Amino acid sequence: MTTSEMKILKSLFSLQAVAFAAVFLIPAQTAFAQIPHREEITIIAPYEPTLPEVSKINLQPRIKSEESSIPAPQIEITPIKINVKHTTEAVQEAPPPLEQPDVIYRNHIRAGFGNYITPYIEFNAGSLRNANYLVNLQARHLASYGKIKDYGHSTFSDNMARVSAMRFFNRFTLGAEARYDHNILHHYGFLKADFPDTMFDTSKDDLRQRFNQVGVSITAKSNNRQPEGFHYDARLAYGLMNDLFQTTEHRFEFGTDLRASFRVLRSNDKQILGVKLDVGTYNRTDSLTTWNNSLVQVQPYFKFKYQEYELKTGVVLAFDNDTSMNFRIFPAVEGRLQLVENRLAVFVGADGKIQKNSFYSLAHENPFIQSVLEYKNSAHKLRFYGGLQGSVGRRLDFTAGFSNTILGSAALFVNDTLFALFNRFAVVYDDMNLLQGNVFASYSVSEQLRITTGFDIFHYTPDREDKAWHKPAFRAFLEGWYNFSDKLAFRAAVNANGKSWAKVFDTNTSLYEPKQLDQWADISFGGTYRYSDQLHFFVDARNITAGRHYYWYNYPSQRLHVMAGAGFSF
């Protein structure tokens, strides 16, 4: 059974819309004020545009015993583009509905155009089937030059180029990747009527922000397929990120997982003794100062399995020096009981970790932040969690869980008063308690129709702040795929976000006051028509209800957005 990072399902308000979209779904991603069409395609083999099997696809609702607890933070070493949408899942049109082609094509190009003057083009190239190596190249351009009524200049441009390679040996696999991202956006989060051009600098050049990201990484992983023996997985990376306002960050990161499998008892159950190591060092320079920060986390662990019983025990030893030198010890314990073999299991556990907050991570979460920030790492001081996961027959997989987490220095975004337009965000840190519940399920209705759904609910109790600013009460999704024929496929989705709160400065009282951001639901629909083995056409419609969705205060999404295009393999 595989892990689910439990996505989110909303059923509270707009279940009628969910029912409408349940048969045809496409992942909803209304541009968070900007991006109307963003596709993320990672080619790991020659381009073979096949339709996913829907009879029984494992979409990560199952949780392996060694993965159901959140481990020490994994190092994010691959630069990824700034996401200015209100959802984080990449949106694609339904995949071309074809069977496995007789001819494998090395290259694939896809292009489209949508309202809000949105051009899109992407090129992918990969080595053909080879037992010794794999090479991939990907380049993409996505932009939008339309306007959002009543708000500031909101155009954006995303550009990415990536090359990766893998070399396969008998005992191990080596990998390498290099990537460059160039992202342009504008701080459009203000009403133009409140800030006339005659009194304020609101031209597109004054609102413009630009992020450059460069990343390189190398990986090594053992190919030991024996149930007993030594295994390793290591990654080394360097990342550079800068913006238009003299902020530059360098990241050097290393992560590894070393483990040995063996048998303690006379049974088929294997035991695992291992250690995880994550090391990161960060250097940031902005227009005012320079920050240096290091984070080291070591997690020795032991996993024991005997028939229906499983136990993982260990500790996380964490050292960081963000604003001061800190050394912390967290538990890493989990127990699991198979109630029905390979069908139903219950698990409970306790853990903790340090979560790094860097310019890269904060800008990735909220690209409208200002460039001069205070940096503190967040501590998941103690998390208790439990849940149930299983499957029913060959069609239904599900998982449900809860957790209670004590957080230290959690990062929250508030509108910054240093800027007259209040259109950029600063970061404040607060200790808080987070109570969370979630559920995820995947159901294969037939060989043609598959539905997945998820719901995540949050309850924050901050210590000093009045609210957990910009943290939604819930997140949810429901999506599905329908293969109508060998030529035609559909995909549709409903994404939803619960209400949240913003900390807004009142110029009349010179005080901060909370402002509620309403809950919203986003319905999307898409389809793909395969004309031949090489050529297919797609259409993608998002935010069908044409509502304005706010994930960040004063940053509405685009309304109804439609894109159409074609893809060609050669």
Side-chain angles (χ1 to χ4, degrees):
M1 292 186 169
T2 44
T3 342
S4 163
E5 192 178 332
M6 311 189 198
K7 295 184 178 176
I8 27 192
L9 161 52
K10 166 187 179 197
S11 57
L12 297 179
F13 81 99
S14 84
L15 271 195
Q16 297 90 346
V18 168
F20 161 77
V23 178
F24 302 99
L25 288 153
I26 192 171
Q29 268 214 0
T30 308
F32 182 53
Q34 318 207 45
I35 291 187
H37 185 87
R38 187 189 298 280
E39 301 197 37
E40 187 72 31
I41 301 174
T42 302
I43 289 186
I44 59 174
Y47 180 73
E48 301 177 18
T50 58
L51 199 67
E53 297 179 7
V54 297
S55 57
K56 184 67 175 68
I57 293 186
N58 193 347
L59 292 176
Q60 300 182 345
R62 296 172 177 163
I63 300 180
K64 291 183 180 178
S65 60
E66 66 268 26
E67 296 177 343
S68 54
S69 62
I70 295 179
Q74 297 298 310
I75 296 177
E76 297 176 19
I77 63 179
T78 304
I80 55 180
K81 63 185 177 297
I82 298 298
N83 188 345
V84 298
K85 294 184 185 181
H86 54 224
T87 56
T88 58
E89 291 296 316
V91 176
Q92 305 179 26
E93 83 277 3
L98 24 153
E99 297 178 354
Q100 195 78 0
D102 296 329
V103 180
I104 303 300
Y105 300 101
R106 187 190 304 274
N107 308 290
H108 180 66
I109 188 168
R110 183 183 298 180
F113 192 84
N115 61 327
Y116 289 96
I117 314 177
T118 306
Y120 158 73
I121 186 169
E122 181 164 354
F123 174 74
N124 295 274
S127 56
L128 297 179
R129 289 171 176 167
N130 191 295
N132 297 319
Y133 65 88
L134 179 67
V135 179
N136 292 302
L137 172 68
Q138 182 184 10
R140 179 179 59 240
H141 169 73
L142 174 67
S144 182
Y145 301 101
K147 297 180 180 180
I148 295 179
K149 185 179 179 181
D150 300 328
Y151 284 82
H153 189 81
S154 61
T155 65
F156 75 90
S157 175
D158 282 348
N159 306 276
M160 182 275 290
R162 180 182 68 90
V163 59
S164 62
M166 298 181 71
R167 180 68 168 88
F168 307 108
F169 299 91
N170 290 334
R171 296 186 177 182
F172 62 92
T173 298
L174 293 179
E177 180 176 314
R179 178 165 176 160
Y180 173 69
D181 289 81
H182 180 79
N183 310 101
I184 297 173
L185 55 88
H186 293 81
H187 298 106
Y188 66 92
F190 63 94
L191 289 167
K192 292 189 293 184
D194 295 339
F195 300 93
D197 295 342
T198 55
M199 300 178 61
F200 298 91
D201 295 328
T202 60
S203 69
K204 65 179 182 180
D205 290 337
D206 294 311
L207 303 178
R208 187 171 181 262
Q209 170 64 296
R210 183 265 301 147
F211 295 104
N212 280 323
Q213 299 177 79
V214 177
V216 293
S217 65
I218 57 175
T219 61
K221 184 176 183 179
S222 61
N223 294 334
N224 187 353
R225 300 183 183 279
Q226 299 299 320
E228 300 179 20
F230 180 71
H231 305 261
Y232 60 86
D233 190 351
R235 211 168 179 190
L236 176 66
Y238 165 74
L240 166 68
M241 181 174 179
N242 61 37
D243 75 346
L244 202 59
F245 301 98
Q246 304 178 39
T247 294
T248 299
E249 179 178 77
H250 300 271
R251 304 186 309 277
F252 297 90
E253 299 172 310
F254 172 75
T256 187
D257 184 1
L258 308 174
R259 59 198 181 277
S261 302
F262 54 92
R263 302 186 193 280
V264 176
L265 303 174
R266 293 181 178 179
S267 70
N268 292 325
D269 299 321
K270 64 179 180 179
Q271 322 310 322
I272 299 176
L273 181 64
V275 60
K276 293 181 181 179
L277 172 65
D278 290 324
V279 180
T281 180
Y282 311 91
N283 172 267
R284 290 175 288 270
T285 302
D286 57 40
S287 58
L288 298 180
T289 187
T290 296
W291 292 73
N292 290 289
N293 168 236
S294 296
L295 174 60
V296 179
Q297 298 195 92
V298 183
Q299 182 184 351
Y301 61 88
F302 176 68
K303 299 177 183 178
F304 177 84
K305 185 178 187 300
Y306 179 71
Q307 296 183 0
E308 67 269 30
Y309 304 99
E310 299 178 41
L311 175 65
K312 173 185 174 181
T313 181
V315 295
V316 177
L317 310 175
F319 166 82
D320 74 315
N321 63 338
D322 49 6
T323 57
S324 61
M325 305 281 283
N326 297 293
F327 176 74
R328 299 178 176 92
I329 301 177
F330 304 104
V333 180
E334 180 179 296
R336 168 177 291 265
L337 176 62
Q338 295 282 342
L339 301 177
V340 180
E341 185 177 5
N342 297 326
R343 290 296 181 185
L344 185 63
V346 60
F347 60 89
V348 294
D351 60 13
K353 66 177 182 179
I354 298 294
Q355 176 183 320
K356 69 177 181 295
N357 292 316
S358 62
F359 182 58
Y360 169 84
S361 64
L362 294 173
H364 180 261
E365 183 178 356
N366 181 353
F368 306 110
I369 60 173
Q370 64 151 302
S371 299
V372 179
L373 298 169
E374 178 187 8
Y375 296 95
K376 292 182 181 180
N377 290 329
S378 300
H380 293 221
K381 297 180 178 180
L382 185 60
R383 182 183 73 127
F384 293 103
Y385 64 92
L388 187 71
Q389 60 104 135
S391 61
V392 179
R394 299 179 61 252
R395 296 187 178 275
L396 175 65
D397 293 327
F398 66 90
T399 182
F402 71 93
S403 65
N404 187 81
T405 308
I406 302 173
L407 298 170
S409 298
L412 303 172
F413 296 99
V414 298
N415 291 75
D416 198 338
T417 58
L418 293 178
F419 301 92
L421 303 178
F422 308 123
N423 60 337
R424 301 186 194 180
F425 293 87
V427 180
V428 297
Y429 298 91
D430 195 9
D431 300 335
M432 64 181 64
N433 190 83
L434 168 60
L435 182 63
Q436 180 177 351
N438 43 52
V439 63
F440 180 87
S442 171
Y443 182 58
S444 296
V445 180
S446 67
E447 293 184 355
Q448 292 180 291
L449 176 62
R450 183 177 82 248
I451 297 174
T452 63
T453 186
F455 180 75
D456 221 332
I457 187 169
F458 312 94
H459 179 71
Y460 296 89
T461 308
D463 285 355
R464 296 178 298 276
E465 299 292 331
D466 293 334
K467 306 284 185 181
W469 310 116
H470 289 101
K471 299 295 185 182
F474 66 84
R475 285 179 180 165
F477 83 97
L478 181 133
E479 62 181 331
W481 299 259
Y482 181 60
N483 298 344
F484 181 76
S485 68
D486 291 340
K487 292 284 188 180
L488 194 60
F490 299 98
R491 191 179 183 189
V494 176
N495 282 341
N497 216 66
K499 72 176 182 180
S500 60
W501 295 87
K503 186 177 183 179
V504 180
F505 185 75
D506 189 329
T507 55
N508 296 321
T509 63
S510 296
L511 297 174
Y512 283 100
E513 61 180 29
K515 292 282 188 180
Q516 180 175 307
L517 306 184
D518 292 336
Q519 58 190 11
W520 48 259
D522 185 319
I523 303 174
S524 300
F525 178 85
T528 298
Y529 173 72
R530 175 193 173 241
Y531 179 78
S532 68
D533 286 350
Q534 293 181 267
L535 179 64
H536 72 270
F537 301 92
F538 69 87
V539 63
D540 182 21
R542 311 185 188 183
N543 194 9
I544 292 176
T545 59
R548 275 188 172 174
H549 309 323
Y550 293 82
Y551 195 85
W552 307 109
Y553 179 73
N554 254 359
Y555 279 90
S557 67
Q558 293 176 344
R559 295 186 185 272
L560 172 65
H561 182 272
V562 180
M563 174 176 282
F568 182 72
S569 302
F570 58 98

